[in-house]
Amino acid sequence: MSEAFLSRRVPLAGRLRLIHAPAGDYAFSRYTSGRGFRHFGTLCRAVLDPDSVALDVGANIGLTTLIAADVATRGRIYAIEAAPRNFAALARNVYEHGASVIRPIHCAVGAREGTVPFFDNSTFGYVVAEGDMAASSGTPVPLRTLDNLVAERGLERLDFIKMDIEGFEQEALAGAEATLARFEPLVMLEFNSWCQIASYDRSPRRFLEWLLDAFPELHVWRYGRLTSVREMGVYNFLHTHLIQHHCNTDLVGARSGARLDRLKAMQREGGIRGWRRRLGF
């Protein structure tokens, strides 16, 4: 069956590219500037090398995947997307842009193997919670663990995991324990309290505390800067997240502090203090 696409040229990582999305995708129909991905590009340039290996979990139509592939030009990016229509667009975008380092994978990721209903909703599609499955009209998709995906592909290194799966991040990370322990990759994930509550009836505070236990280094990544969640404290983080960030905060976690060295160095060299250092003041 042929897919209908909405196509437009958009600036992405310094290049004007023809990008395809499923027809009727209301989020992409408003996407014109590419500015929303500027800080993700900064992050990729700081944490990836040309031969790096990364997982883009919740790759959607491939915009973040293409940005990462521009840096890891001799490495490998595994682009994982559950929504069937988004995956079709992802595969087309990867093919047309000649991104040979990208390997698209169609599945959802969680804490177990099997099949799960998926509610397709543009960039906001999500795995249906277990309690809602009986009443769901979602599309059945494969459910895999990251541990099994990594083992099947025989990965010998993994540098970076980007994860944006609309509140299902805890399940995905629970299914990646062996991978996290072996490779200690840098993990960037979306902390979206609206999705956690509305889709999975989960306490954002409990999930945050779980993340603090899982990652000795846990930081807010916003406007190209790191801010320690431990130094903020749980109460202040949640207040900032809910009030200032409108329930959507990007977090960067690591089990090894060395994974953050280049990001922290980049931050030290930025801003007024960085300019003063370079000028000798």
Side-chain angles (χ1 to χ4, degrees):
M1 182 178 66
S2 61
E3 292 283 347
F5 289 102
L6 169 67
S7 305
R8 66 170 66 219
R9 293 191 180 276
V10 296
L12 195 66
R15 297 164 55 188
L16 192 65
R17 313 191 199 207
L18 182 64
I19 298 294
H20 310 284
D25 187 324
Y26 57 88
F28 186 69
S29 68
R30 301 194 303 268
Y31 176 76
T32 57
S33 70
R35 287 180 296 177
F37 295 95
R38 178 163 54 92
H39 296 305
F40 182 74
T42 299
L43 181 74
C44 287
R45 289 189 294 274
V47 304
L48 296 178
D49 296 313
D51 56 350
S52 287
V53 177
L55 305 179
D56 187 349
V57 183
N60 196 254
I61 61 174
L63 301 181
T64 51
T65 307
L66 290 170
I67 292 171
D70 272 357
V71 181
T73 53
R74 300 191 304 269
R76 186 74 75 225
I77 311 294
Y78 293 93
I80 302 169
E81 173 57 38
R85 296 174 71 234
N86 284 341
F87 183 78
L90 163 68
R92 180 172 177 181
N93 288 327
V94 169
Y95 173 78
E96 291 193 0
H97 289 282
S100 60
V101 303
I102 299 173
R103 296 292 182 270
I105 301 172
H106 178 223
C107 68
V109 295
R112 61 177 178 85
E113 297 273 318
T115 303
V116 68
F118 187 88
F119 183 74
D120 196 347
N121 184 26
S122 181
T123 59
F124 311 109
Y126 59 92
V127 170
V128 177
E130 188 171 353
D132 299 330
M133 285 182 181
S136 170
S137 59
T139 302
V141 299
L143 179 67
R144 306 296 313 279
T145 69
L146 288 180
D147 281 344
N148 284 345
L149 287 171
V150 166
E152 287 174 4
R153 282 152 182 81
L155 268 59
E156 294 298 326
R157 77 179 278 184
L158 179 61
D159 303 286
F160 180 50
I161 300 174
K162 168 255 167 183
M163 189 174 290
D164 182 356
I165 48 177
E166 303 302 306
F168 208 61
E169 288 80 10
Q170 185 168 351
E171 286 81 356
L173 290 169
E177 181 55 40
T179 297
L180 295 173
R182 178 184 177 190
F183 297 107
E184 297 187 337
L186 190 77
V187 177
M188 176 187 179
L189 63 94
E190 180 189 66
F191 188 92
N192 189 319
S193 58
W194 158 249
C195 291
Q196 293 162 31
I197 295 168
S199 298
Y200 305 108
D201 193 22
R202 171 170 295 127
S203 162
R205 176 169 182 157
R206 296 291 176 266
F207 180 40
L208 180 65
E209 291 169 342
W210 187 90
L211 288 171
L212 286 165
D213 286 340
F215 296 103
E217 295 272 1
L218 189 68
H219 301 263
V220 173
W221 172 253
R222 191 168 177 86
Y223 302 132
R225 294 190 61 82
L226 293 169
T227 303
S228 170
V229 175
R230 293 182 194 282
E231 292 180 8
M232 292 178 71
V234 170
Y235 181 89
N236 286 335
F237 168 82
L238 289 171
H239 183 272
T240 300
H241 163 75
L242 293 167
I243 305 303
Q244 297 181 22
H245 300 174
H246 307 293
C247 299
N248 194 330
T249 303
D250 287 328
L251 295 179
V252 171
R255 294 191 174 185
S256 167
R259 288 288 189 187
L260 288 165
D261 286 348
R262 284 162 56 180
L263 263 180
K264 290 179 177 179
M266 178 196 70
Q267 183 166 300
R268 286 194 298 270
E269 292 302 315
I272 294 175
R273 284 182 293 181
W275 279 106
R276 288 173 62 86
R277 262 196 309 278
R278 286 192 290 273
L279 292 172
F281 293 107

